[in-house]
Amino acid sequence: MNTATDNIVGILVVVAIFVLLALPSLVGLARDRHIDRQLRTAQQADGATRVRPAITAQDVTRAA
């Protein structure tokens, strides 16, 4: 193998490892956002007033 091919293979390995490490957190973030949307829709449909706003995953992310 030549140097260019070795470099490309190395880059692809690093990208693959990054994707494998980042994928679970991105899936969890998407799931949390979906649940937040469902809760917001249910609350608007119910017409109930909140005593105190709920803490969402986005609030925790902003505070960090």
Side-chain angles (χ1 to χ4, degrees):
M1 292 178 108
N2 59 19
T3 308
T5 306
D6 290 340
N7 288 341
I8 291 173
V9 169
I11 290 170
L12 290 175
V13 167
V14 169
V15 169
I17 291 171
F18 176 75
V19 168
L20 286 174
L21 290 174
L23 192 62
S25 64
L26 294 175
V27 169
L29 180 64
R31 184 173 178 264
D32 284 346
R33 290 179 56 99
H34 178 71
I35 292 170
D36 289 343
R37 257 185 266 122
Q38 285 180 329
L39 290 172
R40 201 173 311 120
T41 303
Q43 184 181 27
Q44 290 172 355
D46 188 22
T49 58
R50 290 189 290 180
V51 176
R52 183 173 100 178
I55 296 175
T56 63
Q58 292 172 343
D59 297 332
V60 173
T61 307
R62 279 189 222 125

